Structures are given as structure tokens and as C-alpha cells.
Amino acid sequence: MAADAKRPDGGRTPLVQLRGLTKSFGPVVAVRPLDLDIYAGDFFALLGPSGCGKTTLLRMIGGFTEPSGGTIAIDGVDVTRLGPEKRPTNMVFQGYGLFPHMTVRQNIGYGLRLARVAVAERAGRVERIMDLVRIAELAERRPDALSGGQAQRVALARALVMEPRVLLLDEPLAALDLKLRKQMQEELRRIHRQIGGTFVFVTHDQGEAMGLANRIAVMEAGSCVQEGGPEEIYRQPKTRFVSSFIGEANVLAGERRAGVVTLGAGAGFAEAGADGTVSVVVRPEDVRLDPGADAEIRLDGRLEDVVFLGPYTRYRVVLDSGEEVVVHAGDAAGQAVGERVAVGWRRDRQRLVQGS
Amino acid sequence: MTAVSNALWRAFGALVVALMLTPLALVVLFSFTDNALTNFPIERFSTRWFRTLFERAEFWKAFGNSLTIAGSVAVISSVVGTLAALALARLGERLANAALVTLCFPVMLPALVIGIALLVFFNKTGVPFSLATVILGHLVITQPFVILIVYARMVGFDYAAVDSARDLGASPWVAFWTVTFPMVSTTVIGAALIAMAISLDDFIITFFTIGGGNTLPTYIWGKVRTYLDPSINAIGTILLALTIASTVLALRLSRYRG
Ligand SMILES: Nc1ncnc2c1ncn2[C@@H]1O[C@H](COP(=O)(O)OP(=O)(O)OP(=O)(O)O)[C@@H](O)[C@H]1O
Ligand SMILES: [Mg+2]
């Protein structure tokens, strides 16, 4: 798989290793015992809906929240009990957390000053990082005179100038408007390419995760439910939650008895596995209207809605079972709304997940 | 509203302000006269009463005591108040509000009650009366103000800035002095000056807790009881100037608007 080709493994030890990491706030379990490996050079996304524990997990890696259990190792060193100032990580906070009483240059130089980097070297590194994130002309401004996008860049520069082993970003683009967000996504990709560091970022936007990351961990209610490359997660979602959270998906209920799956909508096929309810997940772009002979799964329904969206047309079909199937097709097929149609797809295009 | 009633309201307001300010204006006015008694008509303006005041050793003693007490109160209540406000802000709104209400009881009590309570307390515990007991007494009423003012500043405080400082290598101590304190310093200094103004002004608590010696207000009190000469007006003017100066500075620093 393309995304997997970039994956650095093959006996290499991960840069960040989380083992059984968990956090409870009183009765609330924010992060359930969780194992995760992040490799050097990864642009790693922690993706999940609001409240699933992404920020808590990131803050534990950065040293701002003490874990209730488990360990964090960075570069093979156990850092679980270390404060943030002693970890080889730097974080870009959601609200940026710029120092309002310092200029942009002082903000960026703050960490180097504390590390007692010599004045000349410090100035040089600050200059270079300001060039990298393209804020050189803002050097003497105060944070309250910056736009959201500029503040974002300053926060990024302030963390990057420390040359962290791992850069942590909490919803780095959430506060920006759509256009700026797209622009900053490109910037982040460029910066990651240019300095070749390891970035871990939190987002609830699957598009952003897919667009930036080479590895994605999907989180649900404090657990990591799947980890993999973007394509793997899109093509082979392990749970129904993952399939519907990442992109659009058709999910059809079915039941498996003695290795035969029967869909509530009608079709059936053989697939070995445990008895019980199952769900079939298939992406809209993999479903065909009036499918050809190669479509092993075929269902009948009524065309409910057609929307032309430019690159493709979106068809909404209501099956006889009452379930809905969305089809994205490049070529207009000429069916009219209200007509009876057949939909179908190839077996290798669908995913079967346990449960409903 | 009609123009007439508008004018009436304004006149009423002006009257209230005039009534409140007239005594103060008179004090200032008479402190600069040559009259031997505080009475009209004023024949000549002079700084005679200031000069007689400045010649007296007791005045300088009282002045020094006032400054020592007000200065100590300002420093102690701002340090303790800042720490308390920071702690309260971390406590969560519910608990913090309960704590604030409790802390503010002394402000609601009459100063006389606090004064007598402190007198009894120091007596029973055998603490000798001195400037230190006055400072402690003043802290009882200034501390709540400082905590309230600094706590109000902490609402909406950007904790991510402090986290960032830690992240960039600052120990908790360094993060406090390089980020937290500079971010709240103007408010803290403003609160300290308000504490100072309250302390400078206080008579009742001082009276009950000082034992021997004087501050400016108790010095005035002593003079009023013996011989009422216009040098009292001069002390009043000095107190007024100090209080107004520290309050104005405090309001400017804490960017008080309206
Ligand atoms: N300091 C805290 N005290 C108590 N509960 C907390 C605390 N921080 C987080 N939680 C709870 O832990 C859970 C996970 O929170 P977290 O902030 O990690 O979620 P998130 O995935 O970052 O969500 P979002 O996308 O909204 O930022 C939530 O239920 C939250 O209410
Ligand atoms: Mg969050």
C-alpha cells in the first residue's frame, strides 16, 4: 500500500512507545489502557470525535497530565515521571499560549534563552526558524497584534526552534478559517518535509488527518480502535465506527450463520467467521448503479435522490429493506428519481465487521 | 425624559457630589491658611501649618509608622493574595466562589467589631501590641480585596502560556516569574496599592491594635482630643494625597475602566 511504503519499520524501535497508558479524572476514564508506537519521521494523527481523549493522550505524552497508569518511552528512555521541561518534546497548544508580554522574537527565543544557548547562536536559530515558517516580518510584534494564522505560525516556530525529537500539536488548525486551514496544511507538510522531524497531532477532522498524516490512530471513547496508514484505515476499517468516521460509508446490517452471511436487504454470500450480527461496509465510490456481471452483491431499491457534484454524481437509493445506499458515480447513468434501480458491488470492495 | 427633569437630576447629582466633597475640600483649604483656628474668613494663604507639623518629632514618627504599616500590608497582602488567587483559580468555580464568600466576611463586618475582636485575641494569646499587630489587623481587611482583584484577573487567564513555558524548559518557579507573574503583575501592583490606601486610611483597627505609638490617623485623633489646631488639616491633606495617589495609580495600572 502506498502509505505503508513510507512506513519505517523492519526491526527499528519506535521513537515513542506508549504501553498500557491510561488516565482517569475521578470517575471519568478519559484514556483507556492504550498501546501505541510512533516511529521517527512519522506525521502521526490522533483522530477521533470530541471528548474521546485525544487531548488527554497528547498532554500525557508532553508531560502536562500525569497518567493514571502505564508508561511512556521516548527514544528508549522512560519519561513517564518527567516534567514537560525535561522531555524531548515540544507542544503547540490549541490556544497557542503565546506570551503576551514578549515580542514574537522573544517568544521564539524563550526556550533557547532558558537552555542558555549563546546569544549569537540563539539569534541565528530564531532567524532561521522565522524564515522557515515565514514570519520574519513579524519579529517585533506583540501577540495581540497578530492574526490567528500568524499566531499559529509563531507558536509553531517557538516549538520548532527547540528542535524537539517529537513535536506535539493539539488541533493546530481548528481555530483557522477554511482557506487558511488548507494553506496551513500545506505549510505543515512542507515544514515536516523540510526538517524531517516527527510530528504528532490531534484532530477531529478526518479530512485533515488524511491530508497530513502518514499514520492515523482512530480513537473512540478513550480507546485506540485502529491504527494504520490513511489508505489502510479507509479501505479496511476494523469497526463500523471507523468506517463511518473516516469518509462516507454505507453500512448494511446482516447476520452470519454457519459461515453464510445474509443481509437484511436480501443478498447473501459465504464468509467464514463467528455466528452473530455483522455489518457490511462499502464505500459510495465502490457501489455501482445497474451493476455489471462482476458485482457479486446485488440489491434492489428505488432511486430517491440525484445530486450532481462536479467530479461525480451522488445517488441515494432506498433499498426494499428500508436501508439507504449512497452511490458516487462518475458518469451520469440517466436514471430518473423514483425509478426502480439495482445497486451492486464486488466482494473485494466490501468490508465485513462484527456487530451492528 | 424632559429637559427640566434631566436638569433636576443633574442638579441633584451635583448636590450629592458637592456634599460629599465639601468637607474634604475644606480640610485642604484650611490646611493652606494662616488662620489660628479652622474658621472663616480666610485672611492669608500659607504653608505655616505644614511647617509647624514638620517640626514635630511625633508627626514624623507617626508618618513613618503609617508608611511602614501600609508598605508591609501592601507587600504581604499582594504576595499572599496572589498565591491564594492562583490556588483558587485552580480550584474550580464552585469551590472558589464558596471560598471567596468566606474570605470576604471581614469586609462585611464593621471595623469596630474586627478591632475589638483583634484586641481581645491579641490580649488572650499574649501577643504584645506593636506595629506587627497593626499589620496583621490591616491584613484582615485588605487581604480579601487583593484576592478578589487578582482572582478576577485569573478568570480567562491563558494557562496555555504557562504550559508553554514549562514545555520550553522552564521549571515551575521559572515559569511563574517569567510568564505567570508578568502577565498578572499590573493587576497585582494595582491591588497592592489599593491595600496600601486602605491601610493608610484605617483608624479603628489601628486604634485597637497599636498599643503605644501613632499612625497618622491616630495622631490626628490624639490632637483632636487635646487641641484642635489647623495642623490637623495639614495631616488630613497629606493622607488624602497619599490615598488618592495610590488609588489613582492602582486604577491606572489595573486598567480600570469606569
Ligand atoms: N481536567 C479534567 N478533569 C476532568 N475531566 C476531564 C479533564 N480533562 C478532560 N476530561 C474529560 O476527559 C474526556 C476526554 O477529554 P479530552 O479533552 O482528552 O477530549 P478530546 O478528545 O481532546 O476532545 P475535543 O476534541 O473536544 O478537544 C472528556 O470526557 C473530558 O470531559
Ligand atoms: Mg481536545
Side-chain angles (χ1 to χ4, degrees):
Chain A
M1 219 158 281
D4 260 347
K6 280 187 280 177
R7 177 128 184 80
D9 50 22
R12 282 180 57 192
T13 48
L15 181 61
V16 181
Q17 281 178 295
L18 311 182
R19 290 292 173 268
L21 198 63
T22 170
K23 177 68 190 180
S24 310
F25 295 103
V28 182
V29 186
V31 175
R32 287 169 206 291
L34 174 148
D35 293 343
L36 207 59
D37 288 336
I38 298 167
Y39 289 83
D42 271 349
F43 201 144
F44 198 101
L46 295 169
L47 172 67
S50 186
C52 70
K54 310 178 294 286
T55 297
T56 307
L57 181 57
L58 199 73
R59 287 180 65 89
M60 285 197 284
I61 300 175
F64 301 100
T65 300
E66 201 179 333
S68 309
T71 59
I72 304 165
I74 300 175
D75 248 345
V77 181
D78 186 330
V79 298
T80 318
R81 303 276 153 229
L82 294 186
E85 72 272 28
K86 303 210 173 71
R87 298 192 186 195
T89 57
N90 281 109
M91 183 145 167
V92 176
F93 291 86
Q94 193 165 359
Y96 310 140
L98 298 180
F99 309 134
H101 55 295
M102 297 182 199
T103 62
V104 165
R105 178 178 272 116
Q106 289 166 335
N107 262 277
I108 299 172
Y110 180 85
L112 297 177
R113 214 178 68 214
L114 289 185
R116 300 186 199 287
V117 173
V119 175
E121 189 196 338
R122 198 201 304 166
R125 276 168 72 176
V126 169
E127 269 343 289
R128 253 173 285 135
I129 210 77
M130 285 197 298
D131 285 340
L132 180 72
V133 301
R134 298 178 175 149
I135 49 169
E137 69 284 2
L138 306 175
E140 302 311 324
R141 293 230 198 136
R142 301 245 170 200
D144 59 10
L146 298 176
S147 73
Q150 291 168 335
Q152 162 75 59
R153 284 162 193 262
V154 175
L156 190 63
R158 192 178 59 175
L160 281 176
V161 79
M162 303 305 292
E163 296 170 3
R165 298 286 287 138
V166 186
L167 179 72
L168 308 171
L169 305 115
D170 191 0
E171 308 254 3
L173 310 178
L176 308 180
D177 62 47
L178 189 66
K179 188 161 162 256
L180 213 50
R181 201 149 63 214
K182 290 270 173 270
Q183 196 182 330
M184 273 311 285
Q185 276 189 22
E186 263 168 51
E187 288 281 283
L188 277 176
R189 263 200 305 270
R190 173 182 66 84
I191 291 165
H192 180 253
R193 245 195 338 266
Q194 230 161 310
I195 64 173
T198 307
F199 291 11
V200 180
F201 77 108
V202 153
T203 180
H204 59 254
D205 178 347
Q206 55 97 13
E208 196 170 296
M210 303 292 262
L212 284 175
N214 69 318
R215 301 292 290 176
I216 299 175
V218 184
M219 293 185 64
E220 181 188 12
S223 303
C224 170
V225 286
Q226 188 171 5
E227 195 246 315
E231 199 173 333
E232 180 186 343
I233 287 193
Y234 187 77
R235 288 284 161 219
Q236 297 151 38
K238 277 194 185 140
T239 69
R240 180 181 168 158
F241 170 79
V242 175
S243 66
S244 50
F245 195 70
I246 311 282
E248 203 172 357
N250 295 301
V251 182
L252 299 172
E255 196 161 338
R256 173 149 56 193
R257 284 262 154 72
V260 177
V261 176
T262 315
L263 291 182
F269 54 90
E271 190 161 325
D275 285 0
T277 52
V278 294
S279 299
V280 164
V281 179
V282 58
R283 299 285 174 192
E285 63 270 26
D286 293 329
V287 186
R288 299 270 168 274
L289 276 182
D290 288 329
D294 63 338
E296 288 112 332
I297 314 291
R298 308 174 71 97
L299 299 167
D300 294 317
R302 204 171 70 95
L303 187 58
E304 198 63 35
D305 192 22
V306 179
V307 185
F308 177 68
L309 288 171
Y312 60 87
T313 304
R314 185 176 190 276
Y315 300 87
R316 196 155 60 80
V317 177
V318 174
L319 302 178
D320 296 340
S321 64
E323 288 168 302
E324 253 182 40
V325 170
V326 171
V327 184
H328 291 174
D331 40 351
Q335 286 91 345
V337 170
E339 264 180 53
R340 287 202 58 81
V341 291
V343 295
W345 57 87
R346 293 194 349 227
R347 277 276 300 275
D348 62 356
R349 287 304 189 172
Q350 73 178 22
R351 289 275 303 164
L352 194 65
V353 295
Q354 286 292 338
S356 54
Chain B
M1 216 175 281
T2 66
V4 176
S5 77
N6 238 341
L8 278 178
W9 274 113
R10 249 179 240 161
F12 178 69
L15 189 67
V16 170
V17 171
L19 278 176
M20 284 181 0
L21 291 185
T22 309
L24 294 179
L26 284 181
V27 165
V28 176
L29 184 67
F30 280 112
S31 71
F32 287 102
T33 65
D34 199 24
N35 298 14
L37 290 170
T38 302
N39 60 0
F40 287 107
I42 294 164
E43 272 140 30
R44 271 217 325 274
F45 286 98
S46 92
T47 53
R48 166 184 165 194
W49 295 115
F50 285 92
R51 273 180 280 123
T52 43
L53 199 61
F54 293 163
E55 277 159 18
R56 291 195 195 123
E58 319 99 85
F59 165 77
W60 288 110
K61 196 96 187 38
F63 186 72
N65 284 345
S66 268
L67 286 192
T68 308
I69 293 168
S72 311
V73 166
V75 170
I76 298 173
S77 58
S78 55
V79 171
V80 175
T82 304
L83 296 179
L86 290 177
L88 281 176
R90 297 242 155 182
L91 212 57
E93 205 173 330
R94 270 261 210 84
L95 277 173
N97 280 339
L100 283 174
V101 170
T102 318
L103 282 170
C104 288
F105 273 137
V107 179
M108 298 177 239
L109 287 175
L112 188 61
V113 175
I114 297 176
I116 294 173
L118 285 168
L119 177 72
V120 173
F121 173 76
F122 290 133
N123 236 324
K124 294 281 176 203
T125 49
V127 179
F129 291 105
S130 65
L131 294 192
T133 48
V134 180
I135 292 169
L136 286 175
H138 284 186
L139 284 174
V140 172
I141 50 167
T142 57
Q143 198 64 89
F145 280 107
V146 178
I147 296 177
L148 274 179
I149 294 167
V150 182
Y151 178 76
R153 168 66 183 87
M154 297 315 289
V155 174
F157 181 80
D158 184 13
Y159 289 100
V162 184
D163 280 343
S164 297
R166 295 292 312 280
D167 188 55
L168 295 165
S171 64
W173 175 255
V174 172
F176 177 82
W177 284 112
T178 55
V179 175
T180 314
F181 186 72
M183 282 172 75
V184 300
S185 61
T186 48
T187 309
V188 170
I189 293 169
L193 288 168
I194 286 174
M196 195 159 163
I198 294 173
S199 169
L200 276 176
D201 258 359
D202 174 76
F203 168 74
I204 302 176
I205 292 176
T206 312
F207 182 75
F208 281 104
T209 51
I210 196 163
N214 274 319
T215 62
L216 288 181
T218 63
Y219 181 59
I220 298 181
W221 161 254
K223 287 180 79 66
V224 169
R225 292 207 313 170
T226 52
Y227 172 64
L228 197 77
D229 81 38
S231 65
I232 289 173
N233 294 325
I235 309 176
T237 303
I238 292 170
L239 260 182
L240 200 62
L242 284 176
T243 315
I244 290 178
S246 61
T247 310
V248 165
L249 209 57
L251 293 183
R252 293 207 63 153
L253 283 176
S254 51
R255 304 218 173 80
Y256 181 81
R257 303 254 184 277

